[in-house]
Amino acid sequence: SRLSAEEQDRVFEPGGQRRIVLATNVAETSLTVPGIHYVIDTGLARVKRFSPRQKIDQLRIEPVSQAAARQRAGRCGRVASGVAIRLYAEEDFTARPEYTTPEILRTSLASVILRMAALELGEIAAFPFVEPPTPRQVEDGYRSLFELGAIDEKRALTPLGRELARLPVDPRIGRMLVASREFNCLCEMVILAAALSIQDPRDRPQDKRQESDRAHEEFRDESSDFVQLLNLWKFFDEAFRHKESNRKLWTTCREHFLSYVRMREWRDLAGQLREMAAELKIRENATDATYEQVHRALLTGLLSNVGLKSQEGDHYAAPRGIAFAVWPGSGLKKARPRWVMAGELQETTRVFARNVARIEPEWIERAAAHLVTRTHAEPHWDRARGEVVAWESVALYGLTIVSRRKVSFGRLDPVRAREIFIEGALVAGELDTKLAFFAHNRALVREVEELEHRARRQDVLVDDRAIFAFYATRLPAEVRDTRSLEAWYGEAAKADPKCLFLSKADLMRHGAEAVTEELFPRQLRMGEQAFALAYRFEPGHPLDGVTMNVPLALLNRVDEAAIDWLVPGMVREKVAWWMKALPKRLRSALVPVPEHVTRLLERATPGRRRIADEVLDYCSRLVGERLDSSAWSKDELPAHLAMNLRVVDDAKRELAAGRDLAALRRQLGEAASLTLAQSKPGLEREGIKAWDFGDLPAEVAFRRGNQSLTGYPALADEGESVAIRLLDTPQKAAASHRGGVIRLLALDLKEQVKQLERGPSGFNALALRLQSVVPADRLRADLVACVLDRAFVGEDEPPRTPKGYEEQKKRARARLPAVTEAAMRHAQAIAEAQHALAAAIAQSASLGKVTHEARAQMQRLVYPGFLSATPWERLEHVPRYLRGIALRLTKYRGNPERDQRHAPVVAELWARWEARGEADRKAGRESPRLEEFRWLVEELRISLFARELKTPFPVSAKRLQKFWDEHLRA
């Protein structure tokens, strides 16, 4: 059957040579081929069967029956005696069924049932068939007819079924013809219906597949094989109308690998179908139908043959769990659209789809409206649509056509939709409406919720069930969306305007008297600034606790100690936590904790220093021993007991947030300074080389938007000139202004400065002595900076008026020579002492740890930039400190025990100083007394390790501890 008609005819041509005919089932027909004397029977045949479960035709190779085998043997010997050779055992032959399965048991019964119903022959199960079909076949036939709409749920014939019964074609083909009335595409449909009813007119010889494919390429369409059939029809119809003879028409078909006989059959059948359609009063369309019209009409008869492209592999998923592949000769084999339908599904080695076309899933849903199953899941309130919706999934025999489509739930389950509407829209507050009651109720709920957040308790607001009951008892059953609510409320409010208004009594379990504005304020004041506070009670949430909004320009003004005290209503809990974080031996002295919390709060000044330090100080006095930060446990402070800082810009947009003030300043501190400077246009200047700008105030107050700000103007050293900058803290302004004044004086006294920069007398010898520590050019710059700072400002207050500047300039000119001479004297003394100490350290390498300590101390005293970094009043003492280190090394050799007894005391104080300095740098704090403590430690070293060098005042570890407690415990 794969050969062309011409090649098949060669079987019957007599010849002098031996002929071998390879056939499948042709020997079982009445056809006799003259001259055949031998039949070789494999005992197999390809049998067409219809699968009622899968609704597809199966072409499987099966063993033939005994009757078929005898018929095959009878094919030889018609004109002469012959021989039949069976390629299977006799036992196999006798074990086979006696007769071939009747065709009625191998085909769909839909057409038979339809015809019997139209002729009113009764139930098919009661009809006296010679070979009665199985109940499963009968059931399948009824289902097929129901799918086509030919029968109703009671299996009664519908008007559509009566029309289909009048058409002598397969019911599926007939359904397409009837659908052409609805979609106005009869002209195209009779062509396609006829094509689906005959054998494919396209020839594809085994040995000429490529040639035939090229010949058929001109008809191909990448969207639909049905369009390819229409193109083929147009080609033949035009050739038929302009034919000169049947012979030329036959030649044209052969050149295009078309069967002339099947093309004529197609044309004749199309004409007959057109006449039948006319009898059903289906009119032909005056214009060409669109792609959608044609394929939606086809789809009415092919609902079981749709497929969805699989995510993996080249197959399509079809209804009833079938998977099929597109036939290799299809025009859609490469394109593989997402959704397709097939004119035929046929199983050979696998299930193949022939005559495939691209379709849209919406077409399937409309055509199969009586077949699809709809499931609805997750009903929920949709604020944008103003109604309760659910996710709808639509499936055809197990194949999902629509997945998670949003549909209105009110028409599906009005009672449940009303409940969800009350819960999701009214109770949860997710409703877009201008009705007065809703705004009032939401404001009231927020007010009570805020009381809960402030008090950090969840027993003030009633639960949602109480609010639900309030609305449920007042709203009628038909109110289940925004539209119905607004319509009902418009009428109800005329009689009772407050019919849906909640009261505080409805929402509160108790009065929450403990939550007052004094304990939980809405703002936190720091000096003249007020920062807005927000409360949240949600453990684990980033905003749990109290959040303070900090404008970017004020970030550097935030007092770390002040925010550590949170608000009065939360401070007791924080103090109690710190007390409970102490070791057990200390906690026993704090029982009961609430009483000690009260005593501490009565004597402490909120915001003066951190709560942890207040607790340490309180406990130290209580237990009679000095406690430090090492006393705390390793437990972390709960997040809600630390102020959450939210840094915002002018538009209230969040720039950063966190509970670590130092980290926020590292991230945004410079931006905060710049923001403040930009807030006062016209104040800043650059390129200043003389005091020509009048008075410079120490601070300026102004407003930015609705925020009151204070800035601190100062001169800033720009190298070749100075600038006026607006800084955000007095400390930054003071440091910058001192440097700016020195630079401006240096520009005015440039001749004197140039002479200083060339190097004072004795500088070269000094540089040579310190070359191992400081390069000469660095030493010269350091010396100049030291001299200018002391001579130009020193201990004076940097001027801020033109008059004060002129007076300062006179003092600077007068002091410069004496300061230069003093600086050189100090530097030379330091250089000599350092040189001697370096030699002593080199000779003491065997002393181990004490040598390392000596070297580290020397490097902290003499380093690049030490002259300008060391306070002026301390420069004269540095040589003594260096000699003290050398003396310690000498004494260590004679009495190491004494050194080892004092070293831990100094090490602990020094470590404390370093830790505090690091903490201050991270937090952006400045502690003026911390530098004083550093030099007290140096004096303590002299007192303990080199007493003969004497100290200018009494010093001891106890005195240093007292100094720390009084000035640095914060």
Side-chain angles (χ1 to χ4, degrees):
S1 62
R2 295 179 180 176
L3 302 180
S4 64
E6 295 81 5
E7 291 175 324
Q8 292 185 29
D9 288 343
R10 291 176 59 195
V11 175
F12 302 97
E13 296 176 2
Q17 297 179 342
R18 174 176 292 182
R19 290 178 296 166
I20 299 176
V21 179
L22 177 64
T24 52
N25 297 10
V26 68
E28 297 180 25
T29 69
S30 60
L31 181 66
T32 297
V33 180
I36 296 297
H37 293 279
Y38 298 91
V39 170
I40 301 175
D41 181 14
T42 62
L44 302 173
R46 189 179 292 276
V47 181
K48 182 177 181 180
R49 294 181 182 274
F50 178 77
S51 171
R53 185 181 67 82
Q54 295 181 318
K55 308 289 186 183
I56 61 175
D57 290 325
Q58 298 173 331
L59 287 175
R60 295 177 177 175
I61 297 175
E62 302 176 358
V64 298
S65 65
Q66 294 181 19
R70 293 190 185 96
Q71 190 178 25
R72 287 184 174 184
R75 288 305 92 201
C76 66
R78 289 294 181 93
V79 294
S81 299
V83 178
I85 303 171
R86 292 178 178 146
L87 302 181
Y88 46 96
E90 187 173 358
E91 292 79 6
D92 185 7
F93 174 80
T94 57
R96 296 185 179 190
E98 188 173 356
Y99 298 104
T100 304
T101 304
E103 188 172 358
I104 195 172
L105 302 179
R106 297 188 278 114
T107 189
S108 172
L109 297 181
S111 181
V112 176
I113 296 173
L114 179 64
R115 189 71 57 196
M116 290 180 65
L119 296 175
E120 298 181 354
L121 297 180
E123 288 289 334
I124 186 172
F127 193 82
F129 288 103
V130 176
E131 294 284 350
T134 64
R136 188 170 186 175
Q137 283 182 283
V138 175
E139 184 66 24
D140 169 72
Y142 279 116
R143 287 179 181 174
S144 297
L145 292 177
F146 180 75
E147 178 181 311
L148 296 173
I151 60 174
D152 57 21
E153 294 179 350
K154 298 181 179 179
R155 296 186 175 180
L157 209 61
T158 63
L160 175 61
R162 298 189 182 281
E163 287 188 317
L164 294 181
R166 295 174 60 184
L167 296 173
V169 292
D170 184 276
R172 295 184 180 277
I173 304 298
R175 181 68 183 89
M176 300 175 194
L177 283 172
V178 175
S180 65
R181 176 193 293 132
E182 177 186 354
F183 295 103
N184 193 28
C185 58
L186 178 63
C187 294
E188 291 80 7
M189 198 50 56
V190 294
I191 297 170
L192 296 176
L196 294 175
S197 302
I198 65 171
Q199 188 176 346
D200 194 334
R202 292 165 290 191
D203 285 332
R204 200 165 180 253
Q206 190 75 17
D207 58 340
K208 296 182 179 180
R209 285 194 172 183
Q210 293 184 355
E211 296 178 32
S212 62
D213 288 345
R214 284 196 296 270
H216 297 155
E217 188 67 33
E218 63 176 289
F219 312 121
R220 190 179 300 274
D221 186 272
E222 293 186 355
S223 296
S224 171
D225 291 340
F226 296 102
V227 175
Q228 182 177 0
L229 290 173
L230 291 174
N231 294 337
L232 181 57
W233 171 275
K234 292 176 183 177
F235 165 79
F236 183 76
D237 186 60
E238 185 176 352
F240 186 84
R241 294 177 185 277
H242 298 86
K243 68 176 181 177
E244 297 180 6
S245 65
N246 286 337
R247 181 66 184 175
K248 287 189 176 181
L249 186 59
W250 180 88
T251 302
T252 301
C253 289
R254 183 174 183 179
E255 291 173 353
H256 288 80
F257 290 88
L258 302 175
S259 171
Y260 173 74
V261 175
R262 292 196 289 270
M263 292 297 295
R264 288 297 302 264
E265 179 187 2
W266 184 10
R267 185 176 179 84
D268 294 342
L269 181 56
Q272 295 171 16
L273 293 177
R274 190 175 290 105
E275 292 176 2
M276 296 175 187
E279 294 177 5
L280 296 177
K281 297 182 181 180
I282 303 176
R283 298 181 180 179
E284 295 188 6
N285 43 301
T287 59
D288 292 343
T290 63
Y291 182 96
E292 180 177 346
Q293 288 175 312
V294 172
H295 290 79
R296 288 186 64 182
L298 287 167
L299 185 59
T300 58
L302 302 173
L303 290 174
S304 293
N305 294 3
V306 297
L308 170 64
K309 183 174 68 173
S310 173
Q311 298 295 330
E312 300 177 358
D314 63 344
H315 65 277
Y316 281 79
R320 302 183 179 88
I322 301 172
F324 65 79
V326 177
W327 182 253
S330 171
L332 279 72
K333 179 63 177 176
K334 294 182 179 179
R336 297 189 71 238
R338 178 172 171 78
W339 284 93
V340 297
M341 70 173 175
E344 178 185 14
L345 294 181
Q346 195 173 76
E347 182 180 0
T348 53
T349 55
R350 61 187 296 192
V351 180
F352 284 104
R354 298 175 182 270
N355 292 323
V356 182
R358 173 189 57 79
I359 58 172
E360 299 297 331
E362 308 89 66
W363 303 349
I364 305 174
E365 185 181 2
R366 295 172 191 170
H370 60 299
L371 302 174
V372 298
T373 56
R374 303 176 187 272
T375 57
H376 300 90
E378 303 176 35
H380 60 280
W381 169 252
D382 189 313
R383 183 171 186 170
R385 292 175 51 150
E387 63 176 343
V388 178
V389 299
W391 296 112
E392 181 181 60
S393 295
V394 182
L396 174 63
Y397 299 134
L399 176 65
T400 301
I401 301 171
V402 178
S403 176
R404 290 181 67 81
R405 176 173 59 194
K406 193 178 288 187
V407 297
S408 174
F409 190 68
R411 57 183 175 80
L412 301 173
D413 190 344
V415 176
R416 179 62 182 143
R418 178 177 181 270
E419 295 175 357
I420 296 174
F421 167 67
I422 296 175
E423 292 171 356
L426 298 177
V427 177
E430 297 293 322
L431 179 67
D432 291 329
T433 182
K434 295 182 179 179
L435 298 179
F437 84 89
F438 186 74
H440 169 271
N441 292 352
R442 291 312 302 162
L444 206 58
V445 169
R446 285 193 296 270
E447 183 178 337
V448 178
E449 285 177 340
E450 187 178 2
L451 290 175
E452 285 190 329
H453 287 304
R454 291 187 184 188
R456 296 192 64 78
R457 51 193 295 180
Q458 292 181 329
D459 61 347
V460 180
L461 181 66
V462 297
D463 60 21
D464 290 346
R465 289 176 297 179
I467 304 176
F468 178 92
F470 173 85
Y471 286 115
T473 55
R474 289 164 173 77
L475 293 177
E478 65 272 11
V479 174
R480 56 177 180 265
D481 53 32
T482 303
R483 186 182 306 167
S484 58
L485 172 67
E486 291 178 346
W488 172 82
Y489 186 76
E491 296 298 324
K494 294 178 181 178
D496 182 7
K498 304 289 186 178
C499 60
L500 289 181
F501 276 63
L502 284 162
S503 66
K504 263 196 174 182
D506 296 324
L507 293 175
M508 296 180 66
R509 291 191 177 100
H510 56 78
E513 295 82 2
V515 184
T516 65
E517 193 69 25
E518 181 181 355
L519 293 177
F520 299 94
R522 299 178 186 274
Q523 291 182 331
L524 179 63
R525 299 198 66 84
M526 293 185 197
E528 299 178 356
Q529 305 298 331
F531 299 89
L533 299 179
Y535 299 86
R536 190 184 189 103
F537 178 33
E538 189 175 349
H541 192 279
L543 299 181
D544 184 36
V546 57
T547 298
M548 184 172 81
N549 279 357
V550 182
L552 178 60
L554 299 178
L555 176 60
N556 292 324
R557 306 274 187 87
V558 175
D559 186 341
E560 186 176 15
I563 63 173
D564 190 57
W565 285 74
L566 299 173
V567 294
M570 299 176 68
V571 74
R572 288 190 62 87
E573 181 184 358
K574 188 167 185 177
V575 172
W577 187 91
W578 280 114
M579 287 185 174
K580 294 175 182 178
L582 289 168
K584 186 175 182 179
R585 66 179 184 85
L586 299 176
R587 290 201 307 271
S588 60
L590 297 172
V591 178
V593 171
E595 292 184 7
H596 287 278
V597 170
T598 302
R599 293 172 190 172
L600 184 147
L601 293 177
E602 287 175 349
R603 60 185 299 175
T605 302
R608 185 175 69 89
R609 55 182 177 177
R610 296 171 61 87
I611 290 178
D613 296 319
E614 289 285 359
V615 172
L616 279 179
D617 186 57
Y618 176 84
C619 293
S620 296
R621 286 193 294 270
L622 193 66
V623 300
E625 65 175 285
R626 177 57 54 188
L627 303 177
D628 55 26
S629 58
S630 63
W632 301 118
S633 67
K634 295 183 179 180
D635 295 337
E636 290 189 8
L637 182 74
H640 74 277
L641 294 182
M643 180 74 77
N644 185 48
L645 303 174
R646 180 173 175 266
V647 184
V648 297
D649 60 12
D650 292 340
K652 304 300 181 184
R653 292 173 299 196
E654 182 178 306
L655 302 176
R659 302 178 193 270
D660 188 340
L661 176 60
L664 292 174
R665 282 176 173 167
R666 286 195 298 272
Q667 179 182 351
L668 296 173
E670 293 185 8
S673 300
L674 182 61
T675 300
L676 182 69
Q678 294 173 343
S679 302
K680 190 71 174 177
L683 181 65
E684 292 196 340
R685 279 184 56 188
E686 294 181 350
I688 300 172
K689 295 187 177 181
W691 196 295
D692 56 1
F693 45 83
D695 294 350
L696 187 65
E699 64 179 51
V700 291
F702 56 94
R703 296 192 66 81
R704 180 176 183 176
N706 60 356
Q707 186 72 46
S708 176
L709 299 175
T710 302
Y712 302 91
L715 294 181
D717 184 358
E718 300 286 327
E720 298 298 324
S721 63
V722 298
I724 298 176
R725 301 294 185 199
L726 188 65
L727 302 178
D728 53 358
T729 65
Q731 295 81 8
K732 289 182 181 179
S736 176
H737 189 62
R738 182 183 183 94
V741 169
I742 292 173
R743 174 59 62 188
L744 197 59
L745 287 170
L747 293 172
D748 276 346
L749 303 174
K750 56 185 176 181
E751 293 301 328
Q752 290 87 337
V753 173
K754 283 182 179 180
Q755 183 178 356
L756 176 63
E757 289 175 343
R758 284 194 289 269
S761 175
F763 177 78
N764 291 337
L766 175 65
L768 185 63
R769 183 63 62 90
L770 291 175
Q771 63 180 353
S772 62
V773 180
V774 187
D777 55 344
R778 290 284 303 276
L779 182 62
R780 178 182 289 105
D782 187 27
L783 178 65
V784 170
C786 173
V787 170
L788 294 185
D789 181 81
R790 182 64 182 177
F792 286 3
V793 177
E795 297 177 358
D796 300 338
E797 185 70 24
R800 286 186 170 272
T801 64
K803 181 179 179 182
Y805 176 74
E806 290 299 325
E807 294 175 353
Q808 189 69 30
K809 184 163 62 173
K810 293 178 182 178
R811 287 194 294 269
R813 183 183 286 112
R815 289 193 299 217
L816 189 57
V819 172
T820 303
E821 187 274 330
M824 278 297 297
R825 185 173 65 252
H826 294 325
Q828 288 169 347
I830 292 171
E832 291 177 3
Q834 189 275 339
H835 186 73
L837 176 57
I841 290 174
Q843 295 172 1
S844 305
S846 61
L847 298 183
K849 181 179 179 181
V850 68
T851 304
H852 291 297
E853 293 179 359
R855 182 180 294 106
Q857 186 183 356
M858 178 185 71
Q859 292 171 349
R860 289 193 294 265
L861 292 170
V862 183
Y863 52 89
F866 76 95
L867 286 172
S868 56
T870 303
W872 177 263
E873 65 275 7
R874 289 292 169 185
L875 282 175
E876 63 176 314
H877 298 287
V878 173
R880 179 166 55 90
Y881 300 151
L882 294 171
R883 290 195 298 272
I885 300 172
L887 195 54
R888 177 187 178 186
L889 293 175
T890 302
K891 289 184 175 183
Y892 186 85
R893 294 186 181 93
N895 188 4
E897 292 79 8
R898 184 176 183 276
D899 190 287
Q900 292 169 0
R901 188 170 62 253
H902 294 313
V905 177
V906 178
E908 191 277 330
L909 293 170
W910 183 258
R912 188 187 301 180
W913 176 83
E914 286 185 320
R916 177 59 183 274
E918 181 65 22
D920 284 353
R921 280 190 295 275
K922 288 184 178 180
R925 294 191 301 259
E926 291 186 10
S927 302
R929 291 301 187 100
L930 190 63
E931 185 67 14
E932 185 178 349
F933 183 82
R934 178 250 193 279
W935 297 109
L936 288 176
V937 175
E938 296 297 340
E939 295 294 345
L940 180 63
R941 294 180 195 271
I942 297 295
S943 175
L944 295 176
F945 301 121
R947 186 181 299 271
E948 53 268 54
L949 296 180
K950 300 188 183 302
T951 59
F953 46 81
V955 62
S956 65
K958 189 174 182 179
R959 292 173 185 269
L960 263 67
Q961 181 63 55
K962 182 179 179 182
F963 182 91
W964 181 274
D965 292 340
E966 292 178 352
H967 304 293
L968 294 173
R969 183 181 290 278

